[in-house]
Amino acid sequence: MRIGRHTFEYQNRPEVIETSAIAGPQEMDGPFKNYFKYYLTDDTFGQDTFEKAEREMMVFVIKNVLEKSKLNSADVDVFIGGDLLNQIISTSYAIRQFSIPYLGIYSACATYVEAMLIAAAMVDSGFRKNAICCTSSHFSSAERQYRFPLELGTMRTPGSQWTVSGSGACLISKSKEKKYPYLKYATIGRVVDYGIEDTNNMGAAMAPACADTIYHHFKETGLTLSDYDKIVTGDLGILGSNILIDLLAEKGYDIGGMHMDCGAEIYTHKPRLHQGGSGAAASALVFNCFLFDKLLKGEYRRILFVATGALLSPTATFQGDSIPGIAHSVAIHAPNY
Amino acid sequence: MQRQNFDNKAYKEYVHNIMPRTNHLKTLIMAFVVGGIICIIGQIIHDVIRALFPYLERDAVNSYVTLIMIFLGSFLTAIGVYDDIGKFAGAGSIVPITGFANSVTSPAIEYKSEGVIYGIESKMFVVAGPIIVTGIVCSVIVGIIYLIIGG
Amino acid sequence: MEGIISTILKYLAVFATGGALCLIGQLLINYTKLTPARILVLFLVLGVILQAVGVYQAVVDFGNAGATIPIIGFGYSLAKGAMEGAKIGFLEAISGGFKAVTIGIDSAIFFAYIFSLIFRSRTKKC
């Protein structure tokens, strides 16, 4: 149901039934290690290129989520996913062996929430019964896509973030028991660009878009901060998170105590990685392994899950353009709330 | 949040103010020390060649030094050591000639996955290309100028 | 004894010259928006110009390898080659620069090619 220009409300409890994720070796050392069930010891995943490794991670989580939810690929009506590589090849190549109707989407690191938002809308309306959302990213393939060859001796600047290696998939459907976390609201963000040109400071480029989406969510739904236990952002990093808190404080929302950033949290064990993680997999990993678990147990009652994306491309950057930011959000409630 | 309420310039200034700063002292010292050490290695190679082959011309000795330094930079890149040095040395490992070797070898290895012709050979100079092009353009200009003024 | 002292002094000069040039590069990285590729190009052009106006030879005489190993020395060799070529004729003025640095470029291409056939890129460790 339409609530405002950005926000709508799901009417029929589309639920996140099952999730699966696979983490890279570096993510496995981090604070979420007890939550990750599957991980890579070698980030080539037995493949000869990093692009193929990223694709294999996706194949793994798709198979895993089907297995866990006891479904065949024939039971799935739609697969929505994307990744960071040109022409979203990881997703398109990973899905070709499953013969599931497929929508490829791209919002950089906001792709996971965008996929959930669309999938839940399709399930909610009854157009689709079972929908799978999936994203992936891989440090080594993203590095080549956006930056330099891996062996080039460059120094990372203090504003930089590190692309998370991993992939996550979830199944969105409606259950009879109504015992799974469900999606309540979705807010579609708009592109916001404050003219940040520094590709090593993506947090600052994305934070205004994130603040914009969160602001519209609260303004249009009329909810207050106390309606949520956590506001979870995708991959703003430490600096981006601080900017977000400042920007929202200016609008009268003090989220400091209830905010968590997936990218900033995932690498707290490695301060050398500066601002933390980024990439389409950052939010997917943390949601699938950590947040989903907390919601299922009712430890978090309601969360606002906002993933942010920096919609840059090296071509646009070399042509001197700034970095447009995007953020989409979904409000996810625990089964009994 | 409307764009006009928060204009770009103010935002950029705000971001600039809260940006974490590069540790200048540390990076500068590292660049100085690593750069100096690489040059000393070059000098040692030079002096050893000088001592072993005293009849070699000065230019030939320098050519051997370049050859060996490029080999070292290229080899350390190939075995995955040079990028680790570059992480803390910054310009200390970029500016010496070994850094040039690194910038040629690293894309060659990286794009190996696209094959020999479209990968290694066509991508080899994605990083170092500007150095060669600028260098040659400048040297031709210098050569012509000297020709005209009768050097 | 005197020989040892002069050797030490020579190496100190190498270290100081090479270190100082890299320090300037790092200053540019830290304080300007210049990326490493731009800095290398800048150094190269600087080397060409300094040699063309006849300044850099003095730096080389003082710093030896400290002045020739950094990329600015590459520019110095290019300009030097072009200037020497210009004394001979038109074609040599055009080709002299490249001839002077051909050993560096040829060896970089050759080693990069050989190593790229043998080795693979690995993920950065942090």
Side-chain angles (χ1 to χ4, degrees), chain A:
Chain A
M1 195 182 74
R2 185 186 194 274
I3 289 183
R5 240 185 100 214
H6 295 266
T7 309
F8 60 87
E9 184 180 358
Y10 296 109
Q11 303 288 298
N12 303 309
R13 267 183 95 107
E15 291 171 304
V16 184
I17 307 278
E18 199 56 80
T19 64
S20 170
I22 186 163
Q26 185 147 266
E27 292 68 29
M28 194 55 201
D29 293 337
F32 294 110
K33 61 168 168 267
N34 298 327
Y35 295 92
F36 295 144
K37 202 167 162 197
Y38 304 101
Y39 63 97
L40 307 181
T41 43
D42 164 22
D43 70 353
T44 58
F45 207 10
Q47 303 294 314
D48 53 357
T49 69
F50 293 118
E51 285 76 10
K52 287 180 184 162
E54 179 173 346
R55 190 182 308 164
E56 277 313 300
M57 291 196 293
M58 263 190 145
V59 171
F60 178 88
V61 289
I62 298 167
K63 281 185 176 160
N64 190 242
V65 80
L66 286 171
E67 197 180 297
K68 278 162 97 177
S69 51
K70 300 187 183 63
L71 290 175
N72 287 320
S73 57
D75 300 324
V76 181
D77 307 319
V78 67
F79 175 94
I80 306 175
D83 57 87
L84 300 178
L85 302 186
N86 279 345
Q87 287 85 36
I88 53 170
I89 51 166
S90 302
T91 318
S92 304
Y93 281 67
I95 195 65
R96 69 179 164 182
Q97 57 179 279
F98 292 96
S99 62
I100 298 174
Y102 161 59
L103 290 175
I105 57 170
Y106 180 80
S107 277
C109 314
T111 306
Y112 195 58
V113 165
E114 183 178 350
M116 287 173 88
L117 185 156
I118 300 170
M122 290 183 172
V123 168
D124 187 64
S125 60
F127 293 159
R128 302 280 95 180
K129 189 162 177 288
N130 296 314
I132 288 183
C133 308
C134 186
T135 57
S136 69
S137 57
H138 192 300
F139 169 77
S140 301
S141 61
E143 199 67 8
R144 176 205 281 209
Q145 169 92 57
Y146 291 102
R147 296 178 195 94
F148 298 113
L150 291 166
E151 303 291 355
L152 189 70
T154 52
M155 208 176 215
R156 298 187 83 82
T157 55
S160 66
Q161 287 172 279
W162 190 273
T163 307
V164 170
S165 299
S167 178
C170 69
L171 174 77
I172 292 183
S173 186
K174 284 184 258 188
S175 75
K176 286 197 185 75
E177 307 92 327
K178 302 202 185 311
K179 59 171 186 181
Y180 300 103
Y182 64 101
L183 285 88
K184 184 71 179 160
Y185 298 102
T187 308
I188 302 173
R190 54 183 180 181
V191 172
V192 177
D193 189 337
Y194 278 3
I196 296 291
E197 285 161 11
D198 183 2
T199 52
N200 287 316
N201 190 4
M202 298 210 281
M206 298 188 289
C210 188
D212 189 65
T213 302
I214 295 174
Y215 172 70
H216 280 112
H217 174 80
F218 283 112
K219 201 178 147 213
E220 291 176 3
T221 57
L223 295 171
T224 58
L225 289 178
S226 57
D227 290 313
Y228 291 100
D229 290 327
K230 279 268 173 207
I231 292 179
V232 183
T233 52
D235 58 351
L236 290 174
I238 298 161
L239 177 72
S241 301
N242 292 338
I243 296 174
L244 173 73
I245 291 167
D246 281 1
L247 288 176
L248 280 174
E250 230 167 71
K251 291 279 163 193
Y253 295 97
D254 179 19
I255 64 162
M258 57 189 300
H259 170 257
M260 163 184 168
D261 185 72
C262 301
E265 299 282 330
I266 208 161
Y267 289 137
T268 46
H269 61 305
K270 293 212 167 154
R272 275 195 66 102
L273 298 181
H274 301 302
Q275 300 303 320
S278 68
S283 46
L285 284 181
V286 175
F287 177 79
N288 288 4
C289 295
F290 177 74
L291 297 168
F292 181 69
D293 200 51
K294 294 276 180 198
L295 285 163
L296 209 54
K297 288 179 182 154
E299 285 174 38
Y300 292 159
R301 291 166 303 161
R302 299 184 196 96
I303 63 165
L304 186 65
F305 186 26
V306 200
T308 49
L311 304 172
L312 77 166
S313 103
T315 309
T317 307
F318 285 136
Q319 292 178 359
D321 221 322
S322 55
I323 306 170
I326 184 81
H328 301 298
S329 86
V330 286
I332 305 173
H333 291 196
N336 300 322
Y337 295 93

